[in-house]
Amino acid sequence: MSIVTLKDLLNDSKQKKYGVFATNAFTFEMAEVVIAAAEEKKSPVILMIAEDLFEHLNPEKISPSIIPMIRKAKVPIVFHLDHGMDFETVSKSMYYGFNSVLYDGSRYPLKQNIKIMKKLRKSSNQLGVSLEGEVGHVGGLESGERDIEKQHIDSDKYTKIEDALEFISETRVDALAVAIGTIHGNFRFKPDLDFKRLEEINDAVDVPLVLHGSSGLSDQDFKRAISCGITKINYFTGLVSVATKKTRETVCKNDSFSYLTLNKIVMESVKEKIKEKMDIFGSTGKA
Ligand SMILES: [Zn+2]
């Protein structure tokens, strides 16, 4: 089991119609908890570090510890770079041991997004690294929109089928992130996803589809998205919220808790949330 490619894992989830939970580790304990949750649920999982979290967990230093943990795991795990924002970072990350990377060129015009991805394809092929691309643009916190009050969904930036087709035929990515109404960070409003568009994209392309910015979605939204072709679900903000809430509750209840106990309680709550989502995504027992 242990380390598998994104390509192999998502082809299995596409065929069997389940969603793979994908989240970012922001501490070493968080990486351990993601793996433990997957093992307890006998579920595959995608362990990610986003470029904007490198200040918390630097893969250059930490990968030599995380990768052996993944190799020893009893379930299939992908070690994935989330939202690599430029060619240099993504190229370097392949040498840190990520066996899958997202180059996020979604803020650029399609042609430029394609051009950079094609350049990355050369090294990813040599190293056996899977590639995720993004066409259309999922807005929110990871795209520099730090002021949550300004958060809005711009349907002009939803993924267009003809763009997705052109991108895939040019780049041969292994997975495609689509914009259909989700947002990075906490939703300020009730999500209203464009499932019709998702179905049309899924009918038109053969690569597995990825949903970003999914923390505010309902169980029904997740199930419907998976039935319409979503195979990888990035879920992060919801875990940070659970950790923050549990920390506050625990400290308020008893301020004599040691940090060690606190850390254990908080990480346990994060693990439970991950396991809950694995059940909803239908990946439990699929390892
Ligand atoms: Zn994302």
Side-chain angles (χ1 to χ4, degrees):
M1 283 301 182
S2 69
I3 201 153
V4 292
T5 65
L6 185 76
K7 187 180 174 162
D8 288 346
L9 178 56
L10 295 191
N11 283 334
D12 187 68
S13 66
K14 186 176 164 77
Q15 202 194 335
K16 297 178 185 158
K17 284 204 176 273
Y18 64 91
V20 185
F21 186 88
T23 198
N24 282 295
F26 44 86
T27 61
F28 187 73
E29 297 95 308
M30 176 75 182
E32 286 182 300
V33 153
V34 172
I35 295 172
E39 287 185 325
E40 285 174 29
K41 280 288 167 189
K42 298 187 171 36
S43 165
V45 77
I46 299 165
L47 176 61
M48 315 190 290
I49 306 177
E51 184 184 331
D52 74 348
L53 291 170
F54 283 12
E55 59 179 302
H56 299 279
L57 195 66
N58 184 334
E60 193 176 1
K61 292 178 187 161
I62 207 82
S63 295
S65 308
I66 289 183
I67 291 168
M69 247 162 55
I70 294 177
R71 291 195 189 284
K72 279 185 200 145
K74 297 182 188 76
V75 292
I77 300 175
V78 176
F79 188 40
H80 178 87
L81 170 73
D82 191 25
H83 289 282
M85 301 309 283
D86 59 57
F87 176 80
E88 284 71 27
T89 311
V90 178
S91 300
K92 260 199 273 175
S93 293
M94 295 187 200
Y95 291 93
Y96 297 157
F98 288 107
N99 73 335
S100 175
V101 293
L102 161 61
Y103 164 65
D104 180 358
S106 65
R107 66 199 180 286
Y108 294 129
L110 185 68
K111 298 279 180 214
Q112 194 174 348
N113 192 355
I114 289 173
K115 194 174 150 198
I116 299 172
M117 191 59 98
K118 279 171 94 168
K119 260 171 77 185
L120 288 165
R121 181 38 96 195
K122 287 181 191 152
S123 22
S124 76
N125 277 349
Q126 280 171 3
L127 296 166
V129 170
S130 299
L131 282 185
E132 179 184 335
E134 181 171 323
V135 171
H137 182 70
V138 180
L141 295 181
E142 279 168 52
S143 56
E145 196 180 310
R146 296 282 164 194
D147 184 356
I148 200 148
E149 291 306 310
K150 288 185 189 153
Q151 187 188 74
H152 70 286
I153 301 275
D154 184 355
S155 57
D156 285 348
K157 291 182 177 163
Y158 284 6
T159 308
K160 294 179 183 67
I161 295 169
E162 61 274 23
D163 290 355
L165 281 168
E166 185 180 344
F167 185 82
I168 289 165
S169 74
E170 291 279 340
T171 63
R172 305 311 307 165
V173 285
D174 303 294
L176 182 73
V178 291
I180 54 159
T182 55
I183 202 155
H184 291 112
N186 286 309
F187 276 88
R188 287 178 56 235
F189 38 79
K190 195 173 179 305
D192 180 20
L193 305 190
D194 190 342
F195 289 109
K196 187 170 171 281
R197 182 183 299 260
L198 177 58
E199 274 180 326
E200 286 168 0
I201 298 168
N202 192 43
D203 287 343
V205 306
D206 54 2
V207 301
L209 302 178
V210 179
L211 194 63
H212 282 244
S214 71
S215 286
L217 303 185
S218 68
D219 296 357
Q220 273 321 101
D221 284 335
F222 284 124
K223 287 179 178 163
R224 194 165 168 199
I226 293 164
S227 77
C228 293
I230 291 294
T231 58
K232 169 178 181 266
I233 300 172
N234 284 31
Y235 184 97
F236 175 63
T237 305
L239 296 184
V240 179
S241 303
V242 164
T244 307
K245 191 165 163 257
K246 198 69 183 177
T247 305
R248 193 177 294 125
E249 268 174 26
T250 310
V251 172
C252 287
K253 223 183 339 180
N254 184 349
D255 62 8
S256 65
F257 265 124
S258 85
Y259 176 73
L260 292 179
T261 313
L262 174 68
N263 190 42
K264 210 168 165 220
I265 292 170
V266 170
M267 281 298 131
E268 198 57 37
S269 70
V270 169
K271 188 167 82 179
E272 287 311 306
K273 179 58 91 180
I274 297 173
K275 287 165 67 180
E276 178 193 306
K277 291 288 175 262
M278 286 172 167
D279 283 344
I280 295 163
F281 298 174
S283 70
T284 298
K286 296 290 196 304

